[in-house]
Structure formats: structure tokens, C-alpha cells
Amino acid sequence: MRKMPSRFRRLDGALADLPFEEPMLLTELDGFLTGLIVCPEPIPTNEWMTVIWGVEGDGVPPFDDPLDVQWFVKAVAARRDEIARDLSRGKLQPILDVDERDGEVLWEYWIDGFSDAVALRPDAWDAAAANAGWADPWHRLLALIAIARGESELDSVEINAFQDRAVSELTDTVQRLYAARAGGGEAKPIAVDAIVGAKIGRNDPCPCGSGKKYKHCCA
């Protein structure tokens, strides 16, 4: 992976340490969060955070220390807000892995994360295709998803052409989808306090997404 700021390295390490068979990679998380921002329908935090925790944990944060839960949720929220700001400025900067052997950009992992977000509201994405500004970038992005999964019906020449421009293709199509969704406006980033829950009643649902009451979880 390319050299990253320490905050990304720490988040990457926390993801790798999740006690699941296939924890989400940092680049997958980046694509996933981007998909949540661009999604035509808002998705509750506790629903998408469960995808990050991993289904094996039944949605329960896999940390022993409540402070670790709060740090993790805050770090994820901070990256999501950063992506939203980049999109609003027309300068999406995805975090992408690079194969150290040959320098090849492994964009497929990012696309896998994005498609995980799509899978949370597939009908909303399909319905948005009726929007004139949405249809073309959406179908181009679907082509990238199919190639990443090895399910593309394109011939080898077309697939190679897509792969050669995959990074610019994914940034351009996602940026266009964001513009179509926002209608030229700026998406509102999630406030960190709203996720971490600085002022939450003891009997309220815990903001970490566990499904438990706050007094039985992060409190």
C-alpha cells in the first residue's frame, strides 16, 4: 500500500485486527463510505456500521474497551466526512492499494467496498437510473463492478480498456453520481457527536450500532 498518514495506518491496523475471517480492508472501507455518501437513499448509521463490524459479530462492536469503540466510530466518521468534502469540491481522492511487486493499482478492492454499500439499497440505485444525469455514470460503474467480480460480459479488448483507465473511470463516474444526487449542492457530512453520542440517555440505543442500550454498551 502507498505511504499513508498515521491516522489511516491506525485505522487500517484496527480493521485488520477485527476478529473475523475476512475483515474489511482500508481501501474497501473507503469505497464503502463513498458509496454511502453517493447512495440515493440515506442509510442509518447502525445499519452500515454493522457491515464494518462484520456479520459474524451479530452487529456487536468487537472491542473489549468502550473507548476503542468510540475511537473507531469517530475515525470512520472522520474519513466519511473527508470523502464528502472532497466530493463536494469535485476532487475525490480514493485510498487505493498498490501491488508492491509491479506497482499495479488494485482498484478492485475499492470497487468491492463501494458495491457493498450499493447492496444495502439496490432498489434505490436502480430507481435513480431514471435520472438523466445518473444513468450513464451508473452503468459505467456497474461495468467496473462486473469486471472486478469477474462477471463482465464485455470482450477481452473492452475489459482491458476499462482496466487501463479504471482509476480515472471510478473517480469520474462517482463524482458524476454525486453531482446528480446532490443536484449541485453539497452533501452534509455526519456530525461526529451525532455518532459518538456525547449527550445520550442511558436507555437510548447506543450510537456505536450494537443494538444495545447505551448503559449496557459504551456507557
Side-chain angles (χ1 to χ4, degrees):
M1 179 181 291
R2 70 183 184 182
K3 187 175 181 180
M4 299 180 297
S6 59
R7 60 195 173 91
F8 288 161
R9 291 199 299 272
R10 185 181 177 188
L11 183 55
D12 186 41
L15 288 166
D17 288 340
L18 292 177
F20 306 125
E21 185 175 346
E22 294 184 3
M24 186 177 284
L25 303 172
L26 179 62
T27 186
E28 289 180 293
L29 173 66
D30 205 62
F32 181 68
L33 295 176
T34 306
L36 294 173
I37 296 168
V38 179
C39 183
E41 180 180 321
I43 301 176
T45 303
N46 63 336
E47 181 180 348
W48 58 260
M49 190 63 75
T50 298
V51 177
I52 301 173
W53 296 142
V55 293
E56 297 99 328
D58 295 324
V60 179
F63 298 99
D64 295 328
D65 189 339
L67 292 178
D68 289 338
V69 179
Q70 293 186 0
W71 170 82
F72 187 86
V73 173
K74 193 171 183 177
V76 170
R79 177 54 187 162
R80 185 188 185 281
D81 291 351
E82 187 174 43
I83 295 169
R85 286 193 295 271
D86 288 344
L87 283 166
S88 69
R89 296 166 181 163
K91 297 180 179 180
L92 177 64
Q93 301 180 62
I95 297 175
L96 301 171
D97 283 347
V98 176
D99 190 329
E100 296 180 354
R101 297 169 300 179
D102 55 17
E104 180 181 357
V105 178
L106 305 176
W107 58 272
E108 294 91 343
Y109 293 124
W110 193 95
I111 284 291
D112 282 343
F114 193 97
S115 62
D116 285 342
V118 172
L120 294 177
R121 293 293 186 277
D123 292 342
W125 288 83
D126 288 340
N131 182 322
W134 188 277
D136 179 64
W138 174 228
H139 286 114
R140 298 188 73 81
L141 195 59
L142 284 176
L144 283 176
I145 292 174
I147 291 172
R149 293 176 174 175
E151 300 172 352
S152 178
E153 296 181 355
L154 299 175
D155 61 40
S156 59
V157 174
E158 292 174 307
I159 289 176
N160 289 336
F162 256 107
Q163 291 177 324
D164 288 343
R165 63 176 190 275
V167 176
S168 60
E169 189 76 25
L170 73 85
T171 53
D172 177 66
T173 53
V174 170
Q175 195 69 62
R176 290 170 62 194
L177 288 172
Y178 173 82
R181 177 191 183 281
E186 181 176 351
K188 295 181 179 179
I190 292 178
V192 171
D193 285 348
I195 297 176
V196 177
K199 298 179 181 179
I200 297 177
R202 288 175 55 78
N203 290 312
D204 290 341
C206 188
C208 74
S210 68
K212 296 182 179 180
K213 290 184 178 180
Y214 182 55
K215 65 183 179 181
H216 293 147
C217 193
C218 292

